[in-house]
Amino acid sequence: HEEAIALGDEIRLIAHQLHSPTFEQAGFEVTLRSFCHEFSALTQLPVHLSIHGETHIPADIALCSYRVLQEALRNIQKHARATSIQVHVGLGSRIVLLIADNGAGMDANQLNGSNGLGLKSMRERVKSLSGAFRISQRRNGGMMVSVEIPLEK
């Protein structure tokens, strides 16, 4: 019975990934908050989201940021053995997205050279928008995904 519930939750998360968010209707902040809340509810893994600043975010950058957040949270859920996740979004002349967990961590050099489909897709999405993508080991354990994308070209 528990396996069926877990499978249902996994299918729900995958369906959420396949469905494009509607930033135009709900807005960037509401869409991110909604996803983080639903992810926490389904996985029992607390996600603490903070968003600072305010600016218009082009649709392609909003979608890229959302997809990176989705993939990073799923990776944390599947691999990190974390008990909490911190997400910080800073808005100004660029968007800064920081996703940190308190999990087991990994060798950052190994991760940065990884050809895993999820990490590769995150890197490519960010690079296509002239952004920077990094993964690093946190001093107190866990990992951090760092994304910076210029909002003005």
Side-chain angles (χ1 to χ4, degrees):
H1 180 65
E2 288 179 22
E3 287 180 18
I5 291 172
L7 181 60
D9 289 347
E10 182 76 13
I11 290 169
R12 196 171 296 114
L13 283 172
I14 291 170
H16 206 309
Q17 281 190 304
L18 294 174
H19 178 69
S20 269
T22 53
F23 297 109
E24 297 82 24
Q25 293 173 350
F28 182 70
E29 182 173 344
V30 170
T31 302
L32 290 189
R33 288 194 187 284
S34 174
F35 174 71
C36 288
H37 178 75
E38 183 175 341
F39 181 88
S40 289
L42 290 173
T43 63
Q44 304 302 304
L45 186 56
V47 178
H48 306 281
L49 173 66
S50 64
I51 300 176
H52 300 282
E54 212 173 288
T55 189
H56 169 74
I57 302 169
D60 57 343
I61 294 174
L63 182 59
C64 172
S65 301
Y66 181 81
R67 294 296 189 214
V68 167
L69 177 63
Q70 283 182 316
E71 184 62 34
L73 294 187
R74 286 188 43 78
N75 283 346
I76 292 167
Q77 175 203 10
K78 288 169 73 174
H79 305 295
R81 298 186 309 275
T83 58
S84 73
I85 301 169
Q86 300 288 329
V87 178
H88 171 77
V89 180
L91 302 171
S93 61
R94 64 185 181 197
I95 183 167
V96 177
L97 175 63
L98 303 173
I99 306 159
D101 69 73
N102 67 348
M106 291 183 74
D107 178 1
N109 292 327
Q110 179 184 4
L111 278 174
N112 283 315
S114 171
N115 287 322
L117 186 58
L119 291 175
K120 188 175 183 178
S121 109
M122 286 191 282
R123 266 191 208 95
E124 288 175 358
R125 282 182 190 277
V126 172
K127 186 178 178 183
S128 74
L129 296 170
S130 303
F133 176 88
R134 287 182 306 282
I135 300 177
S136 57
Q137 182 85 29
R138 296 178 68 201
R139 256 183 238 143
N140 298 332
M143 301 299 294
M144 179 176 300
V145 171
S146 172
V147 172
E148 289 187 41
I149 303 171
L151 294 176
E152 300 162 4
K153 294 182 180 182

